[in-house]
Structures are given as structure tokens and as C-alpha cells.
Amino acid sequence: MGPVSQGAAHLFTSRKRRRHLLDLSGERALITGGGHGLGRAIAKGLAARGAHVLVVSRRQAALDETVRQIHDSGGRADAFAVDLTDIAAVRQMAEEIGRQHGGVDIVVLAAGGGRFLSIEETSEEEAANIMSSRYLSAFYVIRSLIGPMLKQDRGRIVIIGSSFAWLHSFNVAYKAAAHALHGLAQALETDLYDTNIQVMYVEPPPIWPLTTFFVHNPGTAQRLPAFYWRFTWTPEQLVAYILRGLERRSAYVSHPLMRLLNPLYPVVSRPLLWYSRRRFPALEDGGPLSGRRRRPIARTSADGRDFADDLPASPHQI
Ligand SMILES: NC(=O)c1ccc[n+]([C@@H]2O[C@H](COP(=O)([O-])OP(=O)(O)OC[C@H]3O[C@@H](n4cnc5c(N)ncnc54)[C@H](OP(=O)(O)O)[C@@H]3O)[C@@H](O)[C@H]2O)c1
């Protein structure tokens, strides 16, 4: 089918039917952070569309569980246990993937995390860890795989950021890492403009039911602004939006309301801060807009307070 008839077929295919067209059979998809949470959900979603997924994170047992779940549902998956903040280990992984699988067609960067901490709570080491597990790991992986992608002039790079990049909050390192990822996506999009490599930046709101992110980064759920919990996605929604973005070759996927609010951020942030201080004076101690339960919260998790009090007994293990 030529490009014109393909376009016509696309126009006359209903939206509902189009949702089922994305076929990733024969594609090799590497997903960082594939041992838990969003990475695992995305790996399962891509495998269900026929991709052979390669999941990467540090803990072998978690990776094995992802691989098992994919095999059980008839998909293809392999695991690589790698610390993505280690440049040499990432290079070695890329060589290994080249030898075993001949390269990759899709790269999804969902590894890393970070607690929501204010400036005096964030040690220099923790800031470095957050930046390297989120931004540098993404950079290293893309850098190690981009050569073959450019050679075949085909591929997709999906960067999972966070809508928290834009919200008024005190999480100095996590927020900065999210901005770094956003910058990386924008720069790559420009850099790869005249290639057939799609760059897609995904900016999820908080995911509900809670993922393992909130176990790996204790205290974080309690520090999200109250109104933020009104704009959640389920893991299934996130995967569906990513698949739709791949199908449409989108550059940016986010919650529609966040998309609307983001450009207004410089204008609304100060009035919002003023309003929150007037409306919730008791929260002063917890930082701007924090405390989804509208009561003072501990500003540090090192004081023995069990943040798990507020969480469901068992977070959603996806
Ligand atoms: N969950 C949400 O509500 C949400 C919303 C918006 C954005 N996000 C962003 O999406 C990302 C993924 O979220 P999630 O819910 O999937 O978090 P998660 O459950 O904590 O998963 C993070 C994954 O990254 C891996 N990882 C961490 N450091 C690594 C390293 N140095 N090398 C290799 N792998 C590493 C972890 O496995 P190992 O520890 O075994 O290495 C884990 O598999 C987070 O960074 C978060 O900022 C999450």
C-alpha cells in the first residue's frame, strides 16, 4: 500500500479500530526500570503488542518476575541486571544486546526515582543519586544505543518524566531531575529531527493504585499536594497513552489538565502559594501546598514517623 492509500485508510478507519492497529511484532524494546512499577507495566503492554522486551534494572529477582509474567501470557522477554548509573556496565549491556539481539528498536527510560525532600533534607550524595538514577541513566542508555539506531535510521525513544516538574513543590532534586529529562527529550527531538527516530516525552501524573515508587521513596505520597490526587492515571491508562503516542508518533504525552496548567505555571504559582498559606495555615511547617490530609505533616522522615500509616497496606504490585 502506498503512502497516499495508507493515509486514506487511516482517515477512514474508526478511532476505536485504530487503537488496535499498533503491531510491534518483530520489534525489540528495551525498558529500563522494568523490574517494578511503571517499567514493568510498560514492558507487559509492549510485549502484549508483540514486541520482544528486554527489561533492565538492578535486582535480578524483580526482573525475573517481570519476565515470568510476560512469558506466562505468551510474550517474549529477557532480563539484564545492570546498574544504569555505571557507564562501563551500560556500555557492556549495549554490546551484549547487540550480540544477542542485533540491537533495539524501542527504548523506554523509566528507571530511577527520588524522595521528595527540601533543600536542608537533601544530602549532596542523595541529590547526585537522584540525578544519576533518573537523568544520567537515561543519557547513558540512549548514548550507548543511538549509533545502531542512526545507522538503521529507525527507532523510538520514550522518556518517562514527571508532571511534578511543573508543580509548586519543595522537592529540590526530584523536580530538577524531571526538568533534566524534559530538557533531554526536547534537545533530542531537535537533534534527531531529520531522522526516522521518534522521541516521545511522557509526563505521568501520580499513578493510582500506588506503585512500588512510593515504597522505594518513602514519605513521598504524603508530600503530594492534596489537589494533585484528583488527577491520577492508572497503570493501564499510562500504558494505553504510551501505545497511542507510539501509534501517532507523538512528541509529548501528558494529563490534559496538566498540559493546560504547565504554561501558566509562572503566573499561577505565587497566587497558589499565597492561597494555600491562607487556606491551610497549619501546613506552613510542611512546605507549600503539602499535606493531602490537610494537617501538619513531618518535614523529615528521619524522625521516626511511620509514613506508611497513610498508605494502603500493600501498594499495587504491577
Ligand atoms: N509511580 C508514579 O506515580 C509516577 C508518576 C510520575 C512519574 N513517575 C516516574 O517514573 C519513574 C518510574 O516510576 P515507578 O513507579 O516505576 O518507580 P519504581 O517502582 O520505584 O521503579 C523504579 C525502577 O527503576 C529501577 N532502578 C532504580 N535505580 C536504578 C539504577 N541505578 N539502575 C537500574 N535500574 C534502576 C528500580 O529497580 P532496582 O532498584 O532493582 O534497580 C525499579 O525497577 C520514577 O522515576 C518516577 O519519577 C512515577
Side-chain angles (χ1 to χ4, degrees):
M1 207 189 276
V4 175
S5 40
Q6 253 179 18
H10 188 75
L11 265 182
F12 291 107
T13 311
S14 73
R15 274 180 143 216
K16 197 172 166 203
R17 178 142 166 58
R18 273 212 300 268
R19 273 210 292 274
H20 301 286
L21 286 182
L22 186 72
D23 178 8
L24 299 175
S25 310
E27 308 248 337
R28 298 146 302 177
L30 179 137
I31 296 108
T32 74
H36 297 98
L38 305 190
R40 179 179 286 172
I42 296 166
K44 288 162 72 176
L46 296 184
R49 295 299 179 111
H52 181 167
V53 304
L54 312 173
V55 282
V56 187
S57 53
R58 290 166 302 184
R59 278 170 276 193
Q60 187 70 50
L63 290 169
D64 290 345
E65 176 58 21
T66 304
V67 169
R68 188 194 63 74
Q69 290 186 18
I70 292 173
H71 286 170
D72 284 356
S73 50
R76 298 177 71 197
D78 285 296
F80 291 84
V82 178
D83 180 350
L84 296 169
T85 62
D86 177 344
I87 305 175
V90 175
R91 284 195 188 127
Q92 202 182 331
M93 174 192 76
E95 281 166 19
E96 192 67 27
I97 287 173
R99 267 196 302 276
Q100 286 182 22
H101 303 281
V104 295
D105 308 287
I106 304 172
V107 185
V108 182
L109 291 317
R115 296 191 293 158
F116 284 24
L117 301 174
S118 66
I119 184 71
E120 76 274 25
E121 292 169 338
T122 311
S123 70
E124 293 85 344
E125 292 78 12
E126 183 147 3
N129 282 342
I130 293 173
M131 285 306 279
S132 54
S133 78
R134 289 293 277 140
Y135 166 72
L136 284 179
S137 71
F139 179 87
Y140 296 160
V141 170
I142 296 168
R143 180 67 185 80
S144 70
L145 296 169
I146 196 70
M149 272 188 172
L150 284 168
K151 209 175 254 177
Q152 67 186 19
D153 192 25
R154 202 171 67 83
R156 304 170 189 268
I157 297 171
V158 181
I159 298 180
I160 309 294
S162 169
S163 50
F164 232 92
W166 305 101
L167 277 175
H168 215 130
S169 76
F170 55 84
N171 48 353
V172 288
Y174 181 86
K175 191 174 166 80
H179 272 279
L181 287 169
H182 184 240
L184 175 65
Q186 280 191 332
L188 278 175
E189 202 195 343
T190 310
D191 193 16
L192 302 175
Y193 178 70
D194 52 1
T195 72
N196 279 318
I197 301 173
Q198 176 194 3
V199 180
M200 184 163 85
Y201 181 65
V202 182
E203 207 168 61
I207 303 296
W208 188 270
L210 295 175
T211 72
T212 37
F213 176 78
F214 295 97
V215 177
H216 296 153
N217 303 285
T220 296
Q222 291 75 9
R223 289 180 163 209
L224 295 193
F227 71 88
Y228 208 42
W229 289 103
R230 294 170 208 263
F231 309 109
T232 55
W233 280 350
T234 62
E236 293 74 21
Q237 277 175 311
L238 171 76
V239 173
Y241 292 139
I242 289 176
L243 290 171
R244 191 174 67 179
L246 290 175
E247 196 177 23
R248 296 179 176 178
R249 297 191 75 81
S250 309
Y252 184 43
V253 172
S254 75
H255 192 290
L257 195 86
M258 296 294 169
R259 187 177 293 216
L260 205 71
L261 284 178
N262 290 349
L264 297 177
Y265 176 79
V267 185
V268 298
S269 63
R270 282 194 165 265
L272 215 57
L273 192 55
W274 173 83
Y275 170 76
S276 72
R277 284 195 169 148
R278 276 181 63 90
R279 178 79 179 76
F280 311 118
L283 294 182
E284 281 267 310
D285 190 38
L289 289 179
S290 63
R292 65 191 167 97
R293 299 202 186 269
R294 298 186 183 185
R295 57 178 164 75
I297 61 166
R299 199 161 161 76
T300 168
S301 56
D303 61 0
R305 181 185 154 81
D306 186 2
F307 280 114
D309 280 356
D310 285 345
L311 294 177
S314 162
H316 191 55
Q317 301 282 336
I318 48 173

PDB file of all heavy atoms in Angstrom, residues 151-184:
ATOM      1  N   LYS A 151      22.155   4.296  12.358  1.00  0.00           N
ATOM      2  CA  LYS A 151      22.587   3.540  11.177  1.00  0.00           C
ATOM      3  C   LYS A 151      21.375   2.960  10.445  1.00  0.00           C
ATOM      4  O   LYS A 151      21.283   3.033   9.222  1.00  0.00           O
ATOM      5  CB  LYS A 151      23.541   2.429  11.610  1.00  0.00           C
ATOM      6  CG  LYS A 151      24.541   2.062  10.537  1.00  0.00           C
ATOM      7  CD  LYS A 151      25.530   1.053  11.055  1.00  0.00           C
ATOM      8  CE  LYS A 151      26.873   1.680  11.308  1.00  0.00           C
ATOM      9  NZ  LYS A 151      27.844   0.745  11.879  1.00  0.00           N
ATOM     10  N   GLN A 152      20.426   2.406  11.215  1.00  0.00           N
ATOM     11  CA  GLN A 152      19.236   1.820  10.563  1.00  0.00           C
ATOM     12  C   GLN A 152      18.171   2.889  10.290  1.00  0.00           C
ATOM     13  O   GLN A 152      17.150   2.611   9.701  1.00  0.00           O
ATOM     14  CB  GLN A 152      18.661   0.667  11.391  1.00  0.00           C
ATOM     15  CG  GLN A 152      18.057   1.087  12.725  1.00  0.00           C
ATOM     16  CD  GLN A 152      17.632  -0.092  13.600  1.00  0.00           C
ATOM     17  OE1 GLN A 152      18.059  -1.209  13.412  1.00  0.00           O
ATOM     18  NE2 GLN A 152      16.773   0.186  14.584  1.00  0.00           N
ATOM     19  N   ASP A 153      18.444   4.125  10.728  1.00  0.00           N
ATOM     20  CA  ASP A 153      17.537   5.265  10.574  1.00  0.00           C
ATOM     21  C   ASP A 153      16.098   4.906  10.965  1.00  0.00           C
ATOM     22  O   ASP A 153      15.150   5.167  10.228  1.00  0.00           O
ATOM     23  CB  ASP A 153      17.579   5.808   9.142  1.00  0.00           C
ATOM     24  CG  ASP A 153      16.868   7.173   9.056  1.00  0.00           C
ATOM     25  OD1 ASP A 153      16.788   7.856  10.090  1.00  0.00           O
ATOM     26  OD2 ASP A 153      16.378   7.529   7.958  1.00  0.00           O
ATOM     27  N   ARG A 154      15.976   4.327  12.119  1.00  0.00           N
ATOM     28  CA  ARG A 154      14.658   3.913  12.580  1.00  0.00           C
ATOM     29  C   ARG A 154      14.738   3.673  14.078  1.00  0.00           C
ATOM     30  O   ARG A 154      15.760   3.172  14.555  1.00  0.00           O
ATOM     31  CB  ARG A 154      14.265   2.604  11.892  1.00  0.00           C
ATOM     32  CG  ARG A 154      12.784   2.318  11.845  1.00  0.00           C
ATOM     33  CD  ARG A 154      12.526   1.119  10.948  1.00  0.00           C
ATOM     34  NE  ARG A 154      13.070  -0.105  11.531  1.00  0.00           N
ATOM     35  CZ  ARG A 154      12.448  -0.835  12.445  1.00  0.00           C
ATOM     36  NH1 ARG A 154      11.261  -0.480  12.877  1.00  0.00           N
ATOM     37  NH2 ARG A 154      12.991  -1.924  12.936  1.00  0.00           N
ATOM     38  N   GLY A 155      13.699   4.034  14.807  1.00  0.00           N
ATOM     39  CA  GLY A 155      13.670   3.736  16.235  1.00  0.00           C
ATOM     40  C   GLY A 155      12.743   4.683  16.981  1.00  0.00           C
ATOM     41  O   GLY A 155      12.206   5.637  16.414  1.00  0.00           O
ATOM     42  N   ARG A 156      12.566   4.366  18.258  1.00  0.00           N
ATOM     43  CA  ARG A 156      11.707   5.200  19.106  1.00  0.00           C
ATOM     44  C   ARG A 156      12.358   5.309  20.477  1.00  0.00           C
ATOM     45  O   ARG A 156      12.824   4.308  21.021  1.00  0.00           O
ATOM     46  CB  ARG A 156      10.329   4.565  19.277  1.00  0.00           C
ATOM     47  CG  ARG A 156       9.582   4.258  17.967  1.00  0.00           C
ATOM     48  CD  ARG A 156       8.385   3.429  18.359  1.00  0.00           C
ATOM     49  NE  ARG A 156       7.644   2.847  17.267  1.00  0.00           N
ATOM     50  CZ  ARG A 156       6.608   3.429  16.684  1.00  0.00           C
ATOM     51  NH1 ARG A 156       6.232   4.634  17.049  1.00  0.00           N
ATOM     52  NH2 ARG A 156       5.929   2.809  15.743  1.00  0.00           N
ATOM     53  N   ILE A 157      12.360   6.526  21.000  1.00  0.00           N
ATOM     54  CA  ILE A 157      12.903   6.752  22.340  1.00  0.00           C
ATOM     55  C   ILE A 157      11.781   7.347  23.186  1.00  0.00           C
ATOM     56  O   ILE A 157      11.213   8.385  22.819  1.00  0.00           O
ATOM     57  CB  ILE A 157      14.096   7.724  22.270  1.00  0.00           C
ATOM     58  CG1 ILE A 157      15.237   7.108  21.448  1.00  0.00           C
ATOM     59  CG2 ILE A 157      14.576   8.080  23.678  1.00  0.00           C
ATOM     60  CD1 ILE A 157      16.368   8.074  21.138  1.00  0.00           C
ATOM     61  N   VAL A 158      11.454   6.675  24.273  1.00  0.00           N
ATOM     62  CA  VAL A 158      10.357   7.136  25.132  1.00  0.00           C
ATOM     63  C   VAL A 158      10.939   7.484  26.503  1.00  0.00           C
ATOM     64  O   VAL A 158      11.498   6.616  27.179  1.00  0.00           O
ATOM     65  CB  VAL A 158       9.274   6.038  25.283  1.00  0.00           C
ATOM     66  CG1 VAL A 158       8.127   6.534  26.156  1.00  0.00           C
ATOM     67  CG2 VAL A 158       8.762   5.593  23.924  1.00  0.00           C
ATOM     68  N   ILE A 159      10.836   8.742  26.894  1.00  0.00           N
ATOM     69  CA  ILE A 159      11.400   9.179  28.174  1.00  0.00           C
ATOM     70  C   ILE A 159      10.255   9.435  29.153  1.00  0.00           C
ATOM     71  O   ILE A 159       9.362  10.245  28.878  1.00  0.00           O
ATOM     72  CB  ILE A 159      12.237  10.456  27.974  1.00  0.00           C
ATOM     73  CG1 ILE A 159      13.412  10.147  27.030  1.00  0.00           C
ATOM     74  CG2 ILE A 159      12.748  10.987  29.319  1.00  0.00           C
ATOM     75  CD1 ILE A 159      14.322  11.322  26.744  1.00  0.00           C
ATOM     76  N   ILE A 160      10.293   8.715  30.276  1.00  0.00           N
ATOM     77  CA  ILE A 160       9.240   8.893  31.285  1.00  0.00           C
ATOM     78  C   ILE A 160       9.703   9.956  32.284  1.00  0.00           C
ATOM     79  O   ILE A 160      10.624   9.727  33.075  1.00  0.00           O
ATOM     80  CB  ILE A 160       8.943   7.570  32.045  1.00  0.00           C
ATOM     81  CG1 ILE A 160       8.692   6.408  31.072  1.00  0.00           C
ATOM     82  CG2 ILE A 160       7.758   7.763  33.001  1.00  0.00           C
ATOM     83  CD1 ILE A 160       7.459   6.518  30.220  1.00  0.00           C
ATOM     84  N   GLY A 161       9.079  11.107  32.233  1.00  0.00           N
ATOM     85  CA  GLY A 161       9.406  12.187  33.158  1.00  0.00           C
ATOM     86  C   GLY A 161       8.403  12.219  34.293  1.00  0.00           C
ATOM     87  O   GLY A 161       7.966  11.158  34.778  1.00  0.00           O
ATOM     88  N   SER A 162       8.009  13.399  34.705  1.00  0.00           N
ATOM     89  CA  SER A 162       7.013  13.511  35.769  1.00  0.00           C
ATOM     90  C   SER A 162       6.346  14.874  35.665  1.00  0.00           C
ATOM     91  O   SER A 162       7.023  15.881  35.442  1.00  0.00           O
ATOM     92  CB  SER A 162       7.680  13.374  37.126  1.00  0.00           C
ATOM     93  OG  SER A 162       6.776  13.734  38.139  1.00  0.00           O
ATOM     94  N   SER A 163       5.018  14.869  35.844  1.00  0.00           N
ATOM     95  CA  SER A 163       4.322  16.163  35.790  1.00  0.00           C
ATOM     96  C   SER A 163       4.735  17.015  36.995  1.00  0.00           C
ATOM     97  O   SER A 163       4.428  18.195  37.067  1.00  0.00           O
ATOM     98  CB  SER A 163       2.808  15.970  35.744  1.00  0.00           C
ATOM     99  OG  SER A 163       2.421  15.098  36.757  1.00  0.00           O
ATOM    100  N   PHE A 164       5.459  16.397  37.925  1.00  0.00           N
ATOM    101  CA  PHE A 164       5.916  17.167  39.081  1.00  0.00           C
ATOM    102  C   PHE A 164       6.977  18.194  38.710  1.00  0.00           C
ATOM    103  O   PHE A 164       7.304  19.082  39.492  1.00  0.00           O
ATOM    104  CB  PHE A 164       6.442  16.245  40.189  1.00  0.00           C
ATOM    105  CG  PHE A 164       5.788  16.553  41.479  1.00  0.00           C
ATOM    106  CD1 PHE A 164       4.658  15.883  41.862  1.00  0.00           C
ATOM    107  CD2 PHE A 164       6.272  17.578  42.277  1.00  0.00           C
ATOM    108  CE1 PHE A 164       4.013  16.205  43.030  1.00  0.00           C
ATOM    109  CE2 PHE A 164       5.632  17.909  43.455  1.00  0.00           C
ATOM    110  CZ  PHE A 164       4.501  17.227  43.831  1.00  0.00           C
ATOM    111  N   ALA A 165       7.501  18.083  37.511  1.00  0.00           N
ATOM    112  CA  ALA A 165       8.477  19.082  37.061  1.00  0.00           C
ATOM    113  C   ALA A 165       7.866  20.482  37.146  1.00  0.00           C
ATOM    114  O   ALA A 165       8.568  21.458  37.363  1.00  0.00           O
ATOM    115  CB  ALA A 165       8.904  18.780  35.638  1.00  0.00           C
ATOM    116  N   TRP A 166       6.546  20.552  36.977  1.00  0.00           N
ATOM    117  CA  TRP A 166       5.910  21.855  36.815  1.00  0.00           C
ATOM    118  C   TRP A 166       5.228  22.374  38.063  1.00  0.00           C
ATOM    119  O   TRP A 166       4.923  23.548  38.151  1.00  0.00           O
ATOM    120  CB  TRP A 166       4.887  21.794  35.670  1.00  0.00           C
ATOM    121  CG  TRP A 166       5.548  21.306  34.432  1.00  0.00           C
ATOM    122  CD1 TRP A 166       5.490  20.041  33.908  1.00  0.00           C
ATOM    123  CD2 TRP A 166       6.431  22.050  33.600  1.00  0.00           C
ATOM    124  NE1 TRP A 166       6.279  19.962  32.800  1.00  0.00           N
ATOM    125  CE2 TRP A 166       6.866  21.179  32.585  1.00  0.00           C
ATOM    126  CE3 TRP A 166       6.906  23.363  33.603  1.00  0.00           C
ATOM    127  CZ2 TRP A 166       7.746  21.589  31.592  1.00  0.00           C
ATOM    128  CZ3 TRP A 166       7.772  23.752  32.614  1.00  0.00           C
ATOM    129  CH2 TRP A 166       8.181  22.879  31.622  1.00  0.00           C
ATOM    130  N   LEU A 167       4.929  21.476  38.997  1.00  0.00           N
ATOM    131  CA  LEU A 167       4.142  21.915  40.152  1.00  0.00           C
ATOM    132  C   LEU A 167       4.984  22.622  41.197  1.00  0.00           C
ATOM    133  O   LEU A 167       6.167  22.348  41.332  1.00  0.00           O
ATOM    134  CB  LEU A 167       3.472  20.703  40.789  1.00  0.00           C
ATOM    135  CG  LEU A 167       2.188  20.295  40.111  1.00  0.00           C
ATOM    136  CD1 LEU A 167       1.668  19.013  40.728  1.00  0.00           C
ATOM    137  CD2 LEU A 167       1.142  21.382  40.248  1.00  0.00           C
ATOM    138  N   HIS A 168       4.303  23.490  41.938  1.00  0.00           N
ATOM    139  CA  HIS A 168       4.992  24.189  43.011  1.00  0.00           C
ATOM    140  C   HIS A 168       5.297  23.188  44.110  1.00  0.00           C
ATOM    141  O   HIS A 168       4.410  22.647  44.733  1.00  0.00           O
ATOM    142  CB  HIS A 168       4.068  25.271  43.566  1.00  0.00           C
ATOM    143  CG  HIS A 168       4.851  26.456  43.982  1.00  0.00           C
ATOM    144  ND1 HIS A 168       4.524  27.709  43.598  1.00  0.00           N
ATOM    145  CD2 HIS A 168       5.972  26.564  44.695  1.00  0.00           C
ATOM    146  CE1 HIS A 168       5.400  28.556  44.081  1.00  0.00           C
ATOM    147  NE2 HIS A 168       6.287  27.887  44.750  1.00  0.00           N
ATOM    148  N   SER A 169       6.542  22.881  44.333  1.00  0.00           N
ATOM    149  CA  SER A 169       6.862  21.952  45.412  1.00  0.00           C
ATOM    150  C   SER A 169       8.311  22.131  45.811  1.00  0.00           C
ATOM    151  O   SER A 169       9.085  22.764  45.117  1.00  0.00           O
ATOM    152  CB  SER A 169       6.608  20.513  44.979  1.00  0.00           C
ATOM    153  OG  SER A 169       7.647  20.106  44.138  1.00  0.00           O
ATOM    154  N   PHE A 170       8.663  21.527  46.936  1.00  0.00           N
ATOM    155  CA  PHE A 170       9.977  21.784  47.513  1.00  0.00           C
ATOM    156  C   PHE A 170      10.963  20.660  47.251  1.00  0.00           C
ATOM    157  O   PHE A 170      12.062  20.659  47.810  1.00  0.00           O
ATOM    158  CB  PHE A 170       9.835  22.005  49.021  1.00  0.00           C
ATOM    159  CG  PHE A 170       9.125  20.858  49.715  1.00  0.00           C
ATOM    160  CD1 PHE A 170       9.829  19.727  50.096  1.00  0.00           C
ATOM    161  CD2 PHE A 170       7.766  20.912  49.962  1.00  0.00           C
ATOM    162  CE1 PHE A 170       9.191  18.666  50.705  1.00  0.00           C
ATOM    163  CE2 PHE A 170       7.113  19.852  50.578  1.00  0.00           C
ATOM    164  CZ  PHE A 170       7.827  18.725  50.950  1.00  0.00           C
ATOM    165  N   ASN A 171      10.589  19.692  46.419  1.00  0.00           N
ATOM    166  CA  ASN A 171      11.455  18.525  46.213  1.00  0.00           C
ATOM    167  C   ASN A 171      12.613  18.883  45.280  1.00  0.00           C
ATOM    168  O   ASN A 171      12.563  18.646  44.072  1.00  0.00           O
ATOM    169  CB  ASN A 171      10.647  17.348  45.672  1.00  0.00           C
ATOM    170  CG  ASN A 171       9.757  17.741  44.525  1.00  0.00           C
ATOM    171  OD1 ASN A 171       9.628  18.921  44.204  1.00  0.00           O
ATOM    172  ND2 ASN A 171       9.152  16.785  43.866  1.00  0.00           N
ATOM    173  N   VAL A 172      13.657  19.438  45.847  1.00  0.00           N
ATOM    174  CA  VAL A 172      14.698  20.097  45.061  1.00  0.00           C
ATOM    175  C   VAL A 172      15.402  19.182  44.049  1.00  0.00           C
ATOM    176  O   VAL A 172      15.726  19.622  42.952  1.00  0.00           O
ATOM    177  CB  VAL A 172      15.754  20.778  45.964  1.00  0.00           C
ATOM    178  CG1 VAL A 172      15.189  22.013  46.618  1.00  0.00           C
ATOM    179  CG2 VAL A 172      16.300  19.805  47.004  1.00  0.00           C
ATOM    180  N   ALA A 173      15.652  17.925  44.397  1.00  0.00           N
ATOM    181  CA  ALA A 173      16.412  17.078  43.467  1.00  0.00           C
ATOM    182  C   ALA A 173      15.502  16.337  42.483  1.00  0.00           C
ATOM    183  O   ALA A 173      15.791  16.266  41.289  1.00  0.00           O
ATOM    184  CB  ALA A 173      17.266  16.080  44.248  1.00  0.00           C
ATOM    185  N   TYR A 174      14.374  15.800  42.969  1.00  0.00           N
ATOM    186  CA  TYR A 174      13.470  15.048  42.096  1.00  0.00           C
ATOM    187  C   TYR A 174      12.940  15.940  40.981  1.00  0.00           C
ATOM    188  O   TYR A 174      12.881  15.563  39.821  1.00  0.00           O
ATOM    189  CB  TYR A 174      12.314  14.477  42.923  1.00  0.00           C
ATOM    190  CG  TYR A 174      11.343  13.676  42.099  1.00  0.00           C
ATOM    191  CD1 TYR A 174      11.568  12.327  41.849  1.00  0.00           C
ATOM    192  CD2 TYR A 174      10.209  14.271  41.547  1.00  0.00           C
ATOM    193  CE1 TYR A 174      10.692  11.591  41.076  1.00  0.00           C
ATOM    194  CE2 TYR A 174       9.326  13.546  40.773  1.00  0.00           C
ATOM    195  CZ  TYR A 174       9.569  12.203  40.542  1.00  0.00           C
ATOM    196  OH  TYR A 174       8.693  11.484  39.764  1.00  0.00           O
ATOM    197  N   LYS A 175      12.544  17.145  41.382  1.00  0.00           N
ATOM    198  CA  LYS A 175      11.970  18.091  40.411  1.00  0.00           C
ATOM    199  C   LYS A 175      13.029  18.489  39.364  1.00  0.00           C
ATOM    200  O   LYS A 175      12.757  18.557  38.172  1.00  0.00           O
ATOM    201  CB  LYS A 175      11.499  19.326  41.185  1.00  0.00           C
ATOM    202  CG  LYS A 175      10.657  20.303  40.405  1.00  0.00           C
ATOM    203  CD  LYS A 175      10.184  21.354  41.396  1.00  0.00           C
ATOM    204  CE  LYS A 175       9.609  22.573  40.725  1.00  0.00           C
ATOM    205  NZ  LYS A 175       8.248  22.404  40.274  1.00  0.00           N
ATOM    206  N   ALA A 176      14.259  18.704  39.843  1.00  0.00           N
ATOM    207  CA  ALA A 176      15.336  19.083  38.919  1.00  0.00           C
ATOM    208  C   ALA A 176      15.618  17.951  37.936  1.00  0.00           C
ATOM    209  O   ALA A 176      15.850  18.189  36.743  1.00  0.00           O
ATOM    210  CB  ALA A 176      16.595  19.423  39.710  1.00  0.00           C
ATOM    211  N   ALA A 177      15.558  16.702  38.423  1.00  0.00           N
ATOM    212  CA  ALA A 177      15.807  15.559  37.535  1.00  0.00           C
ATOM    213  C   ALA A 177      14.712  15.462  36.472  1.00  0.00           C
ATOM    214  O   ALA A 177      14.986  15.135  35.309  1.00  0.00           O
ATOM    215  CB  ALA A 177      15.884  14.275  38.353  1.00  0.00           C
ATOM    216  N   ALA A 178      13.461  15.760  36.886  1.00  0.00           N
ATOM    217  CA  ALA A 178      12.364  15.717  35.913  1.00  0.00           C
ATOM    218  C   ALA A 178      12.565  16.788  34.836  1.00  0.00           C
ATOM    219  O   ALA A 178      12.327  16.562  33.653  1.00  0.00           O
ATOM    220  CB  ALA A 178      11.024  15.902  36.626  1.00  0.00           C
ATOM    221  N   HIS A 179      13.027  17.965  35.248  1.00  0.00           N
ATOM    222  CA  HIS A 179      13.315  19.020  34.264  1.00  0.00           C
ATOM    223  C   HIS A 179      14.456  18.599  33.342  1.00  0.00           C
ATOM    224  O   HIS A 179      14.432  18.888  32.146  1.00  0.00           O
ATOM    225  CB  HIS A 179      13.681  20.329  34.964  1.00  0.00           C
ATOM    226  CG  HIS A 179      12.480  21.158  35.271  1.00  0.00           C
ATOM    227  ND1 HIS A 179      11.874  21.971  34.331  1.00  0.00           N
ATOM    228  CD2 HIS A 179      11.761  21.288  36.401  1.00  0.00           C
ATOM    229  CE1 HIS A 179      10.836  22.570  34.885  1.00  0.00           C
ATOM    230  NE2 HIS A 179      10.738  22.176  36.141  1.00  0.00           N
ATOM    231  N   ALA A 180      15.456  17.931  33.916  1.00  0.00           N
ATOM    232  CA  ALA A 180      16.586  17.489  33.097  1.00  0.00           C
ATOM    233  C   ALA A 180      16.099  16.506  32.027  1.00  0.00           C
ATOM    234  O   ALA A 180      16.521  16.579  30.867  1.00  0.00           O
ATOM    235  CB  ALA A 180      17.646  16.834  33.977  1.00  0.00           C
ATOM    236  N   LEU A 181      15.190  15.614  32.407  1.00  0.00           N
ATOM    237  CA  LEU A 181      14.671  14.644  31.442  1.00  0.00           C
ATOM    238  C   LEU A 181      13.850  15.344  30.357  1.00  0.00           C
ATOM    239  O   LEU A 181      13.906  14.982  29.180  1.00  0.00           O
ATOM    240  CB  LEU A 181      13.814  13.597  32.158  1.00  0.00           C
ATOM    241  CG  LEU A 181      14.609  12.581  32.989  1.00  0.00           C
ATOM    242  CD1 LEU A 181      13.686  11.764  33.874  1.00  0.00           C
ATOM    243  CD2 LEU A 181      15.416  11.655  32.070  1.00  0.00           C
ATOM    244  N   HIS A 182      13.092  16.351  30.788  1.00  0.00           N
ATOM    245  CA  HIS A 182      12.308  17.116  29.811  1.00  0.00           C
ATOM    246  C   HIS A 182      13.243  17.819  28.825  1.00  0.00           C
ATOM    247  O   HIS A 182      13.026  17.793  27.609  1.00  0.00           O
ATOM    248  CB  HIS A 182      11.435  18.134  30.557  1.00  0.00           C
ATOM    249  CG  HIS A 182      10.525  18.899  29.658  1.00  0.00           C
ATOM    250  ND1 HIS A 182      10.578  20.268  29.541  1.00  0.00           N
ATOM    251  CD2 HIS A 182       9.561  18.497  28.815  1.00  0.00           C
ATOM    252  CE1 HIS A 182       9.673  20.670  28.669  1.00  0.00           C
ATOM    253  NE2 HIS A 182       9.039  19.617  28.215  1.00  0.00           N
ATOM    254  N   GLY A 183      14.312  18.397  29.366  1.00  0.00           N
ATOM    255  CA  GLY A 183      15.294  19.069  28.501  1.00  0.00           C
ATOM    256  C   GLY A 183      15.957  18.088  27.551  1.00  0.00           C
ATOM    257  O   GLY A 183      16.159  18.383  26.370  1.00  0.00           O
ATOM    258  N   LEU A 184      16.270  16.905  28.074  1.00  0.00           N
ATOM    259  CA  LEU A 184      16.901  15.883  27.235  1.00  0.00           C
ATOM    260  C   LEU A 184      15.982  15.512  26.068  1.00  0.00           C
ATOM    261  O   LEU A 184      16.415  15.419  24.918  1.00  0.00           O
ATOM    262  CB  LEU A 184      17.209  14.646  28.099  1.00  0.00           C
ATOM    263  CG  LEU A 184      17.772  13.419  27.383  1.00  0.00           C
ATOM    264  CD1 LEU A 184      19.149  13.715  26.801  1.00  0.00           C
ATOM    265  CD2 LEU A 184      17.863  12.225  28.334  1.00  0.00           C
TER     266      LEU A 184
END
